Amino acid sequence: MTPPFSFLTATEIRFGRGTVEGAAEYVARQGRNVLVVQGASGQRADPLILALQRLGVGVSVFSCPREPDIALIEDGIRLARGAGVRAVVALGGGAVIDCGKAIAALAPAPRPMLDHLEVVGRGLPLDAPPLPFVAIPTTAGTGAEVTKNAVIAVPEARRKVSLRDARMLPLLAIVDPALTDGCPRSVTLASGLDAVTQVIEPYVSNKANRLTDALCRDAIPLGLRALARLMEGEDAGARDDLAWVSLCGGLALANAGLGAVHGLAGPIGGMASAPHGAVCGALLPHVLAANIARAEGVAAERLAEVAGWIAAALGGAPGEAAETLAGWSAAQGLPRLGKMGMAAGDVPEVAALAAGSSSMAGNPVALDSGALIGVLRAAF
């Protein structure tokens, strides 16, 4: 018997090549003063900014050159309030979208940011509704365009934590795979492994349901094949497929949770300046191996399916899928955790922090501290 479940999304989603062309008109309807959050270069945001200006919209621009931390978000909030913006649009990777999402949520908020942050703060709900927010991803990885949280680094606590509220879901997500064309190979690999992780973990999660199964079951093999093709060379069809997988992952994780990969990646991200997707990619094979070794029943069946999909996409036998994935990722240039800046002495602390994380609650089997330390050492 299927247990009851609910499915969260209040976001209008536009998917396909050319969908970004209508973004300016939609954004202009949200307010005459708009904040555009962009990446370090800003080149991909320039056409949107020019289109908004032609429509008579006052545009303020804020750059997010790194994964957002408290100081960066506070700078954006000051700009938004000073300019009297009435809507926010973020065009960039997952960090840029999280940055824009947080600014849109906190610019109207009367309380200090820490009152609303999880773990390091009070985790209070927002007192005021966020500004209208539009998300336009330029990488295929995080699925942040359809989630209700923003991940923010707190350097003094050596943690990454979430700002979370159901009203933080973007009003509109424009997923135009053309914006990912020509993405650097290393970024494609890291973000693509994140996208694949974010359809695998909800599929094997103990919170999986029929809707998340429908999103993930086809997306896992599709994402593996697309990423393998893109490591061989630029391929528009593979870009389209990976953008779809990333979107499916965002919807699935919001409704079925994640697992030990993200449980471990969160603390690592607060301790090392490594790209989130690269960390997930380094952890994924070893978490799969740990889960497969302990799983029974439905969890074992689903993990066996995942192993079969990995073997079909990357070669090797299903029984060696974790080793195949680790070897393939390394051959494509993915560094190990030690090369990403994680210190060997942090392993016990990361394992302890991960054990109490919300992501770990969705893992298909219980992994104790010893198992988590084993995963970290295998990925180190």
Side-chain angles (χ1 to χ4, degrees):
M1 181 179 294
T2 302
F5 62 88
S6 60
F7 192 85
L8 173 68
T9 183
T11 302
E12 178 184 343
I13 300 169
R14 300 180 185 175
F15 182 94
R17 289 181 175 259
T19 49
V20 74
E21 294 169 5
E25 291 80 1
Y26 184 97
V27 173
R29 292 197 295 272
Q30 308 309 314
R32 305 314 294 178
N33 287 318
V34 171
L35 178 67
V36 174
V37 181
Q38 62 181 16
S41 71
Q43 293 179 345
R44 291 187 185 271
D46 287 345
L48 174 63
I49 293 168
L50 292 172
L52 286 168
Q53 291 171 335
R54 284 195 295 269
L55 291 170
V57 175
V59 178
S60 300
V61 179
F62 184 74
S63 292
C64 176
R66 61 183 188 274
E67 293 191 356
D69 55 24
I70 285 180
L72 186 69
I73 298 299
E74 287 178 338
D75 287 343
I77 292 168
R78 281 191 289 270
L79 175 59
R81 289 173 175 170
V85 303
R86 294 292 177 265
V88 178
V89 55
L91 192 150
V96 173
I97 292 174
D98 274 358
C99 183
K101 199 185 299 185
I103 293 169
L106 294 170
R111 294 177 183 269
M113 187 190 313
L114 276 172
D115 278 2
H116 303 292
L117 292 183
E118 298 176 351
V119 183
V120 301
R122 299 174 66 190
L124 296 176
L126 296 172
D127 293 317
L131 296 174
F133 177 62
V134 175
I136 307 174
T138 60
T139 60
T142 68
E145 66 274 11
V146 288
T147 61
K148 63 177 181 178
N149 71 302
V151 178
I152 300 170
V154 186
E156 56 271 26
R158 301 180 76 210
R159 297 294 299 272
K160 283 184 180 178
V161 301
S162 278
L163 171 70
R164 192 184 311 271
D165 191 291
R167 294 169 295 175
M168 289 173 60
L169 281 167
L171 292 181
L172 173 67
I174 295 178
V175 184
D176 188 336
L179 294 175
T180 71
D181 289 348
C183 187
R185 190 174 186 275
S186 61
V187 176
T188 298
L189 177 63
S191 60
L193 285 168
D194 192 21
V196 169
T197 301
Q198 290 181 170
V199 284
I200 290 176
E201 289 204 297
Y203 186 64
V204 301
S205 169
N206 53 38
K207 302 177 184 177
N209 59 66
R210 288 183 177 183
L211 280 170
T212 57
D213 286 354
L215 289 166
C216 297
R217 189 174 284 114
D218 291 336
I220 296 169
L222 185 69
L224 289 163
R225 292 194 302 267
L227 188 55
R229 291 206 308 274
L230 287 167
M231 290 300 98
E232 296 172 357
E234 191 63 27
D235 184 314
R239 292 286 184 193
D240 291 358
D241 289 346
L242 201 56
W244 175 252
V245 171
S246 178
L247 175 62
C248 289
L251 291 168
L253 73 87
N255 289 280
L258 289 163
V261 173
H262 281 81
L264 291 163
I268 292 170
M271 297 177 184
S273 57
H276 170 76
V279 172
C280 289
L283 290 167
L284 178 60
H286 308 293
V287 169
L288 283 174
N291 285 338
I292 288 169
R294 294 162 176 80
E296 299 176 351
V298 173
E301 293 172 4
R302 291 194 170 215
L303 286 161
E305 284 185 278
V306 171
W309 290 325
I310 291 171
L314 304 181
E320 300 170 349
E323 294 88 344
T324 297
L325 178 58
W328 179 86
S329 298
Q332 306 312 313
L334 185 75
R336 299 176 70 83
L337 293 179
K339 296 294 185 180
M340 295 187 210
M342 182 181 170
D346 286 335
V347 166
E349 184 181 359
V350 169
L353 291 171
S357 70
S358 58
S359 291
M360 199 64 70
N363 204 61
V365 299
L367 296 179
D368 61 17
S369 178
L372 294 175
I373 288 173
V375 166
L376 289 166
R377 287 177 175 163
F380 193 82

